[in-house]
Structures are given as structure tokens and as C-alpha cells.
């Protein structure tokens, strides 16, 4: 059984403690705020306190999706370690990030035809996606195979209720 990594993006809103605990590969969306560009890194380069104070002061952030080069670089590093990849993506109805991942996957497969990359459109947003990822990590930690983790995500992704 081939080992696998779970790749996440910052739109899953996972706490940095979870990312570290499960050794997840985190790709940050770009946040443009107060005239500066930040890569979302779960409170490391832009504190939540500063962010929310800026919003109260009238600043309006914008975000940009993870680009295909960022995915390519992350995927290539994992593939070179001879590991498979699962990327439970933020909903395609809300973001084009999944398309960047698919472009990178196609490029990786041209260069590494034996690479094993699964991209799942979770149809979830924010911590709804994050909850699927946490459970996927728990399954992996308890010895589940890549296929079992994929099946869990596919079987449960439409059962997450999002309240906004």
C-alpha cells in the first residue's frame, strides 16, 4: 500500500494546530488587504486581530485562488517522495481553485506518469470542508488506505450542513 499525503488549501479554515498535527500540506489563498498581498497561512503573517480591526475600520479584503504553479510545486514534492495525494477541494461552485489543481495534476502526470493524485470536489466550504479533512486525517492515522479515505469523503461530502 502506497503512503499518501492530504493536501489542503486555506479555504478549509483549519486551525494551524490541526495542520501541524496531521502534517498536512497547506496551500494558502492570496488575501489582498490594506494594499498588501498576504498568503493565507492561518494567522501567521496577518493576525486575526489586525484583520478584523481593519474590517471594522472599513478595509475590504479580497482573495485569489491558489494558482496552478503552487499546486504543481506542492504535488511534485510529494510525488518525488513516492507518495500518493488526496486533495479535498473547496466547492467548485464557489471557487476556481479546483481547476488550478486539475491543471497542475495534468502537468504532473505528463512529467510523472505513475503519479497517483486524487482531486475531490467536496461541494463544501470553509470548515464544512475542514471537517471532512479532519475525519480523513483520523482515518489515515488509524490505518485507512487512500481508497478508504476517498470513499469516506465521497460518501459524506453531501451530508455536511453549512450554516452561514
Amino acid at each position: 500500500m502506497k503512503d499518501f499525503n492530504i493536501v489542503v488549501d486555506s479555504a478549509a479554515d483549519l486551525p494551524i494546530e490541526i495542520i501541524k498535527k496531521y502534517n498536512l500540506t497547506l496551500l494558502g489563498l492570496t488575501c489582498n488587504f490594506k494594499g498588501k498581498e498576504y498568503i493565507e497561512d492561518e494567522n501567521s503573517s496577518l493576525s486575526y486581530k489586525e484583520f478584523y480591526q481593519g474590517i471594522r475600520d472599513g478595509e475590504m479584503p479580497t482573495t485569489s485562488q491558489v494558482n496552478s504553479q503552487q499546486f504543481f510545486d506542492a504535488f511534485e514534492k510529494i510525488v518525488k517522495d513516492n507518495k500518493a495525494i488526496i486533495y479535498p477541494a473547496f466547492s467548485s461552485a464557489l471557487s476556481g481553485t479546483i481547476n488550478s489543481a486539475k491543471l497542475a495534476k495534468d502537468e504532473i502526470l505528463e512529467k510523472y506518469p505513475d503519479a497517483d493524485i486524487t482531486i475531490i470536489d467536496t461541494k463544501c466550504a470553509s470548515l464544512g470542508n475542514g471537517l471532512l479533512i479532519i475525519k480523513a486525517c483520523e482515518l489515515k492515522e488509524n490505518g485507512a488506505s487512500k481508497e478508504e479515505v476517498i470513499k469516506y469523503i465521497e460518501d459524506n461530502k453531501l451530508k455536511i450542513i453549512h450554516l452561514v
Side-chain angles (χ1 to χ4, degrees), residues 32-50:
N32 298 295
F33 189 66
K34 295 172 107 175
K36 189 172 176 188
E37 189 173 275
Y38 298 90
I39 299 295
E40 291 183 323
D41 55 7
E42 307 309 323
N43 196 36
S44 295
S45 60
L46 174 63
S47 74
Y48 294 136
K49 182 178 180 179
E50 180 184 353

Side-chain angles (χ1 to χ4, degrees), residues 113-125:
D114 295 331
D116 181 359
I117 302 171
T118 302
I119 298 170
I120 303 167
D121 185 351
T122 65
K123 309 290 187 193
C124 292

Side-chain angles (χ1 to χ4, degrees), residues 59-131:
E59 295 289 334
M60 189 48 92
T62 59
T63 58
S64 302
Q65 67 192 40
V66 178
N67 66 48
S68 62
Q69 186 63 52
Q70 289 169 283
F71 276 108
F72 181 91
D73 294 343
F75 289 172
E76 185 176 44
K77 183 177 181 205
I78 296 165
V79 167
K80 282 183 172 181
D81 284 341
N82 198 33
K83 293 182 179 179
I85 297 166
I86 299 174
Y87 169 54
F90 186 77
S91 176
S92 64
L94 300 171
S95 173
T97 301
I98 193 170
N99 295 326
S100 296
K102 288 177 179 178
L103 287 171
K105 176 184 176 179
D106 291 345
E107 289 181 37
I108 290 289
L109 290 174
E110 285 179 21
K111 191 170 180 180
Y112 306 94
D114 295 331
D116 181 359
I117 302 171
T118 302
I119 298 170
I120 303 167
D121 185 351
T122 65
K123 309 290 187 193
C124 292
S126 188
L127 197 51
N129 188 26
L131 291 171

